[in-house]
Amino acid sequence: MRQTGGGATIDSASPSRSYFTEKRVGLGNNSYLGLSLPGSGGRVGSGSKKKKITKAERLKLLQEEEERRLKEEEEARLKYEKEEKERLEIQRIEKEKWNRLEAKDLERRNEELEELYLLERCFPEAEKLKQETRLLSRWKHYIQCDGSPDPSVAQEMNTFISLWKEKTNETFEEVIEKSKVVLNLIEKLNLFYWKRPPCDLQDKKYNKQYQESILNNLQELLHLKFNVATEILLQTSTLADLDSGNMEKVIKDENVTLYVWANLKKNPRHRSVRFSETQIGFEIPRILATSDIAVRLLHTHYDHVSALHPVSTPSKEHTSTVTELVKDDIENVEKAISKEVKEESKQQGKRSHLIQKEEIKVEEERDDIEVKMSSAEEESEAIKCELEMKILSETVSAAQLLLVENSSEKPDFFENDVVDLCQFTTLGGVYHLDILELPPQCKPVKGWMIVEILKEGLQKYTYPPETTEDFETENAFPPIEVTLEVHENVIFFEDPMVVRWDAEGKHWRTDGISNVSYKPNKRLVTFSLDTFGPVTLIQDAHINMPYQSWELRPLDVNKVLLTVTTVFTEIQIQIKENLCMLSSVKLKDKKHISILEGTWMTPIPFIIALKEAGLNIFPTRHSHFYVIINNKVPLVEVKAYRQMALLSSAFAFGWSKWNLLCNSTKVVFKV
């Protein structure tokens, strides 16, 4: 069945629906969708005809598209202009705000710079105070009249040495008492030169060669006196032990401990020597047990042996350059002072000339003129004082810069067995181990004691001998086993290394020593020694470097607490004015009692005491060769230290991890 109406034909056999034909018309790059219904004379289907767009319609579509594009571009332009205007306005507001802050900061900075200039006068004033303190100490020594020489005066030191050389037949106890005076002089002489600024050390009066010459003479004379006293002690057979028949003597003092054993009976079975009430001793071979020998252990709690080691010093060119710079500044300032004084004197002369003329005319103005002259003199004195402070400031700056500058050359390395004293440090003093030829013993004759005096004095027994052809067995001269006690006031963070002194090469060596064992609980070290001589214990000087952290915290006015934390220890140091004190030491979270705690000392003796106790946290000029750190420019480092010193009474300072990451021209720390 078919129905026709309205120009459309509908098939009744199919569901009632309308058919649409989608047609895309392309106009260049534009397109649109058109919908068409079937016409009156046609059937809806795939074969229907498509409607064509005329040229006018196509142009109209293009025009509409162009207008739409222009409208979008205009809207985008207006939006961009609005955003740009807003951005510029924000920038203008921020810049004005920043300029106001800069102006305010500049005003504050000018005020702070004026305060800083006043604060930095502390450094030359402190140096002036040090100079006055040195003069005062010399005056106190002069009026004390105790017979001890002034270490800074060569004539007095030479007289003291000559007079002590002439004294003979001194007992060991007398030498020990005299040694306290000598050690005090050595300490004063060292401090005298360590505290002097570099420019003063160029003076012949304070020459470094003079210091070394006096020190060597004192140290050699002290050791010679100990040898002579030991010879007198060994000639006293009345000290022989009743059980063994051999002589044994122990003398202890705060600076020296003597252990002497004399083989009077020559019993080959008596080969183990242990001093009474101690575990210190020797295991001597059979050939020594049957010889006329004496074994001496002289433990000096100080180290005068390492001073003989040639350590590289700052290059003369560098030191002289710094010194010349300071001297040039001093000369320039002195010329300026003299020039200012001359100008002032000329002006005063002119004024006085005018005054003389005016005195005839107007006598009433005399008082006013005298006031002007006095004010001119005060101004001249003020200028002179200011220039003198400038000299001191330049001197202090040069000295501080020299302290933090690193050496450009690594110390010479000789052999594998030679100890580098820039990398290691000796601790606990020196153990002088000697095998001595037994001197003739005294003999009682009719109430008299007859003693044979040898011209050559105390002689050392050579072990092993230079020629061993007369001896049958190859192992006739085995190494001698030695047991020593570590000084109670010394801290070893690792097992100590044992080294011996090479007198020919003048350095410490690690060869010739075997079977080293250390008992930390008993503080005993045992080892075998091929030949006797000076022996000491060493430790890495940079074992506590680099620091894990540090903090400088104020406690009161001119009083701060410095806390340094390392891998092995935590050290707290109190600082007030020009004094330092060890507050506490922690080892592995346990408090360690040190004899230095609670004792106030000046900085240099305090640093030396900490180093001698094994608590070395102070880098040297060569430390950067042995510790991986981020080296800083010395001038930047000195300026940072100075500002921290000025503000330490009011602000706390601490370490920062970013200091390792920044370059050498910047220093980063927490405030």
Side-chain angles (χ1 to χ4, degrees):
M1 179 177 177
R2 298 173 60 89
Q3 293 182 359
T4 305
T9 304
I10 301 174
D11 193 353
S12 61
S14 61
S16 177
R17 60 183 178 179
S18 297
Y19 292 87
F20 297 86
T21 302
E22 180 181 332
K23 184 175 183 181
R24 182 180 296 275
V25 179
L27 297 174
N29 292 330
N30 302 311
S31 62
Y32 75 95
L33 296 176
L35 298 176
S36 62
L37 294 173
S40 60
R43 179 185 293 271
V44 178
S46 61
S48 62
K49 294 182 179 180
K50 299 178 180 179
K51 185 179 178 179
K52 294 183 179 180
I53 299 175
T54 62
K55 187 175 182 181
E57 292 176 341
R58 186 181 293 113
L59 291 174
K60 184 179 180 181
L61 290 173
L62 286 172
Q63 187 177 0
E64 291 176 353
E65 183 69 22
E66 183 67 18
E67 289 176 355
R68 186 169 64 252
R69 184 182 65 80
L70 292 175
K71 184 179 180 181
E72 290 176 354
E73 289 180 355
E74 182 66 16
E75 290 176 352
R77 185 182 65 79
L78 292 174
K79 184 179 179 181
Y80 172 76
E81 288 180 355
K82 183 180 178 182
E83 291 177 351
E84 184 68 14
K85 188 176 180 180
E86 292 176 353
R87 187 182 66 83
L88 292 175
E89 182 67 17
I90 292 172
Q91 283 186 355
R92 185 187 65 80
I93 294 172
E94 289 181 351
K95 189 174 181 180
E96 289 179 356
K97 184 179 178 181
W98 182 257
N99 289 336
R100 287 196 300 270
L101 290 174
E102 277 190 340
K104 188 175 180 181
D105 183 67
L106 185 61
E107 183 181 354
R108 178 188 58 81
R109 189 180 301 175
N110 291 333
E111 293 177 358
E112 289 184 352
L113 282 175
E114 291 178 1
E115 294 179 0
L116 179 61
Y117 293 145
L118 292 175
L119 288 173
E120 285 191 335
R121 289 179 65 90
C122 296
F123 296 107
E125 287 175 358
E127 182 62 28
K128 192 174 181 180
L129 182 62
K130 290 179 183 178
Q131 293 179 359
E132 292 175 356
T133 304
R134 286 195 290 265
L135 292 175
L136 183 61
S137 63
R138 292 187 64 182
W139 171 249
K140 285 183 178 179
H141 179 271
Y142 177 77
I143 63 176
Q144 192 174 2
C145 296
D146 59 351
S148 60
D150 185 352
S152 62
V153 181
Q155 292 82 357
E156 294 186 15
M157 293 297 294
N158 290 329
T159 302
F160 174 80
I161 293 173
S162 300
L163 291 176
W164 196 28
K165 277 183 180 179
E166 295 175 358
K167 286 189 177 181
T168 56
N169 298 327
E170 291 179 289
T171 63
F172 207 92
E173 289 79 3
E174 292 174 346
V175 175
I176 286 179
E177 287 299 319
K178 193 72 172 182
S179 69
K180 295 178 182 179
V181 179
V182 175
L183 293 175
N184 187 31
L185 289 174
I186 292 174
E187 181 181 359
K188 285 183 178 179
L189 189 60
N190 284 325
L191 290 176
F192 176 78
Y193 281 89
W194 286 332
K195 291 180 179 179
R196 303 300 297 185
C199 56
D200 284 357
L201 296 179
Q202 299 298 319
D203 192 351
K204 292 182 179 180
K205 184 179 178 181
Y206 309 121
N207 199 309
K208 185 73 174 176
Q209 294 179 352
Y210 155 73
Q211 177 204 12
E212 293 176 353
S213 174
I214 295 294
L215 283 177
N216 290 337
N217 291 338
L218 282 174
Q219 293 166 4
E220 290 175 1
L221 179 58
L222 181 61
H223 197 68
L224 176 63
K225 288 290 183 177
F226 279 132
N227 288 340
V228 174
T230 303
E231 181 182 5
I232 296 174
L233 186 65
L234 289 174
Q235 289 175 339
T236 309
S237 59
T238 56
L239 299 175
D241 184 52
L242 296 177
D243 296 332
S244 63
N246 297 322
M247 190 193 81
E248 179 183 312
K249 183 69 175 178
V250 178
I251 301 176
K252 291 187 177 182
D253 186 69
E254 58 181 349
N255 298 317
V256 177
T257 304
L258 175 69
Y259 303 90
V260 176
W261 178 82
N263 189 15
L264 301 177
K265 289 296 183 181
K266 306 177 189 61
N267 186 356
R269 296 181 181 179
H270 191 78
R271 297 166 58 181
S272 179
V273 180
R274 286 291 180 272
F275 293 96
S276 58
E277 299 181 358
T278 66
Q279 298 187 24
I280 298 175
F282 315 92
E283 295 291 336
I284 60 176
R286 181 182 180 86
I287 188 171
L288 291 180
T290 57
S291 302
D292 291 328
I293 57 108
V295 180
R296 181 185 69 173
L297 167 57
L298 179 62
H299 180 199
T300 58
H301 302 170
Y302 50 84
D303 180 9
H304 287 169
V305 178
S306 299
L308 304 175
H309 177 74
V311 180
S312 60
T313 56
S315 59
K316 293 182 179 178
E317 296 180 358
H318 175 74
T319 308
S320 60
T321 302
V322 175
T323 308
E324 286 173 3
L325 288 173
V326 176
K327 281 189 172 182
D328 291 341
D329 290 338
I330 292 173
E331 289 176 0
N332 293 333
V333 175
E334 286 178 348
K335 288 179 182 178
I337 291 174
S338 61
K339 188 176 180 181
E340 291 286 341
V341 172
K342 286 180 181 179
E343 290 178 357
E344 290 294 332
S345 62
K346 287 180 180 178
Q347 292 177 3
Q348 290 176 9
K350 292 179 181 178
R351 289 171 185 168
S352 62
H353 184 65
L354 292 173
I355 289 168
Q356 289 176 359
K357 289 183 177 180
E358 291 178 358
E359 276 179 350
I360 303 172
K361 298 178 180 179
V362 185
E363 294 182 357
E364 296 178 357
E365 297 180 358
R366 182 177 299 171
D367 296 336
D368 297 335
I369 294 169
E370 288 178 357
V371 170
K372 290 181 181 179
M373 289 182 64
S374 62
S375 63
E377 290 177 357
E378 290 176 358
E379 289 178 2
S380 176
E381 289 294 328
I383 293 172
K384 187 176 181 181
C385 181
E386 184 178 350
L387 293 175
E388 287 178 353
M389 295 300 287
K390 184 179 179 182
I391 294 174
L392 285 174
S393 179
E394 294 291 336
T395 305
V396 171
S397 299
Q400 290 176 344
L401 192 63
L402 192 63
L403 284 175
V404 300
E405 281 189 338
N406 292 326
S407 175
S408 58
E409 298 179 359
K410 191 173 182 179
D412 295 331
F413 190 77
F414 302 97
E415 302 174 12
N416 293 330
D417 298 326
V418 175
V419 177
D420 182 5
L421 288 182
C422 292
Q423 183 180 4
F424 296 93
T425 181
T426 61
L427 291 177
V430 178
Y431 302 86
H432 297 267
L433 299 171
D434 298 301
I435 303 175
L436 307 171
E437 294 182 0
L438 197 62
Q441 298 298 301
C442 59
K443 298 178 182 179
V445 177
K446 296 181 181 180
W448 291 82
M449 299 295 291
I450 299 178
V451 181
E452 181 182 356
I453 304 298
L454 301 177
K455 290 183 179 180
E456 58 272 11
L458 196 63
Q459 297 295 312
K460 291 186 178 181
Y461 182 89
T462 305
Y463 179 89
E466 297 177 357
T467 57
T468 58
E469 297 177 355
D470 299 336
F471 301 92
E472 299 177 356
T473 58
E474 296 180 358
N475 199 22
F477 304 97
I480 301 174
E481 183 180 299
V482 182
T483 301
L484 301 177
E485 185 177 2
V486 179
H487 197 284
E488 59 181 356
N489 297 327
V490 174
I491 300 175
F492 281 96
F493 298 101
E494 295 178 346
D495 290 352
M497 297 173 57
V498 184
V499 294
R500 65 177 183 87
W501 178 252
D502 181 9
E504 295 182 0
K506 292 186 177 180
H507 43 238
W508 295 102
R509 301 183 65 93
T510 57
D511 57 347
I513 300 171
S514 57
N515 302 327
V516 180
S517 64
Y518 178 59
K519 298 178 181 178
N521 296 330
K522 297 181 179 180
R523 301 183 66 85
L524 294 175
V525 58
T526 303
F527 55 92
S528 297
L529 194 62
D530 292 345
T531 58
F532 267 30
V535 172
T536 190
L537 307 177
I538 63 172
Q539 182 175 253
D540 187 357
H542 308 94
I543 196 169
N544 289 315
M545 303 178 201
Y547 312 147
Q548 288 188 333
S549 65
W550 62 268
E551 183 188 23
L552 187 67
R553 185 161 49 87
L555 298 178
D556 201 348
V557 178
N558 293 332
K559 189 175 182 180
V560 296
L561 178 67
L562 174 63
T563 303
V564 178
T565 304
T566 69
V567 177
F568 297 98
T569 182
E570 179 185 289
I571 301 174
Q572 289 188 339
I573 302 170
Q574 286 191 29
I575 306 169
K576 68 173 182 180
E577 297 178 353
N578 64 331
L579 298 174
C580 306
M581 181 189 72
L582 181 63
S583 181
S584 68
V585 179
K586 290 183 181 178
L587 302 178
K588 297 180 180 179
D589 298 329
K590 294 182 181 179
K591 187 173 176 60
H592 175 79
I593 305 299
S594 174
I595 61 170
L596 298 176
E597 291 184 24
T599 304
W600 290 98
M601 291 183 278
T602 53
I604 293 179
F606 178 75
I607 292 172
I608 295 172
L610 280 187
K611 286 183 176 181
E612 291 177 350
L615 300 172
N616 186 12
I617 55 172
F618 307 98
T620 63
R621 298 179 63 253
H622 302 97
S623 295
H624 63 286
F625 291 117
Y626 310 102
V627 183
I628 300 175
I629 56 173
N630 184 3
N631 287 319
K632 303 296 179 181
V633 174
L635 187 60
V636 176
E637 196 173 348
V638 166
K639 287 186 175 181
Y641 290 151
R642 289 168 70 104
Q643 304 308 312
M644 288 172 61
L646 293 174
L647 299 175
S648 58
S649 293
F651 292 88
F653 298 90
W655 74 287
S656 174
K657 64 179 181 180
W658 305 110
N659 191 43
L660 291 172
L661 303 178
C662 65
N663 57 26
S664 61
T665 60
K666 295 180 180 179
V667 176
V668 182
F669 50 85
K670 292 186 289 188
V671 183

